[in-house]
Amino acid sequence: MAKYCGKTAVIARPIDEVYSRMADFSLYQAKLDAIPEEMRAKIGDVKFPPDTIVISADPVGDITLKAVERIAPERVVLEAQNSPVPLSMVITLSPADNDKTSVSPLIEVEIPAMLKPFVGPKMQEAADRFGEMLTNLFSL
């Protein structure tokens, strides 16, 4: 299984608050709908149905990630639904200085070795963008 570690994001909120917001993604949809289009463009094409995150990613299409494991206040695991290959995202939370929280996304995907050179850079980009997206969402 290939692993792609995203950039660690630091969110200026205590870990318990970050975890509670990560444990209920549906809270983000109303906030997302209310922000200006220019800010929405920074976040990307994402939707938050209950217990899931739907990300539109070219050229793959929609990626639906469903929360399958929650360990308060340090870990949320999401698995891709209806994916042609097994894919999961592990979001690890850890306390940082001054009531801040470090958030580290990790994408694990089972792809054939011959496809890694083609798919790997896109998966790394997705992992990095997820960390950026979280930072932007918490600034709302």
Side-chain angles (χ1 to χ4, degrees):
M1 184 160 296
K3 296 181 181 190
Y4 300 92
C5 296
K7 295 176 185 172
T8 298
V10 177
I11 298 172
R13 303 256 201 271
I15 191 169
D16 291 328
E17 181 182 337
V18 174
Y19 176 81
S20 68
R21 288 177 70 180
M22 294 288 302
D24 184 5
F25 299 117
S26 64
L27 299 173
Y28 292 113
Q29 191 62 52
K31 290 185 177 211
L32 191 61
D33 292 342
I35 64 173
E37 190 60 38
E38 63 191 40
M39 180 68 164
R40 240 189 120 129
K42 288 182 183 179
I43 295 170
D45 190 6
V46 62
K47 298 175 198 89
F48 298 96
D51 287 331
T52 58
I53 299 173
V54 180
I55 303 168
S56 292
D58 288 332
V60 180
D62 285 353
I63 299 170
T64 302
L65 299 169
K66 181 169 179 64
V68 295
E69 179 183 328
R70 293 178 177 105
I71 301 173
E74 60 201 35
R75 180 178 161 104
V76 177
V77 179
L78 307 165
E79 283 186 357
Q81 304 295 296
N82 301 321
S83 175
V85 295
L87 182 140
S88 64
M89 178 175 292
V90 179
I91 303 165
T92 305
L93 307 173
S94 58
D97 294 335
N98 302 322
D99 269 348
K100 295 180 182 177
T101 303
S102 293
V103 180
S104 301
L106 170 70
I107 295 177
E108 299 176 330
V109 61
E110 206 167 292
I111 52 176
M114 68 174 79
L115 292 179
K116 282 184 185 179
F118 304 105
V119 177
K122 289 291 184 185
M123 296 308 298
Q124 185 60 56
E125 181 182 336
D128 290 338
R129 285 194 42 105
F130 193 81
E132 292 170 18
M133 179 186 74
L134 288 174
T135 303
N136 288 331
L137 284 171
F138 271 90
S139 67
L140 299 177

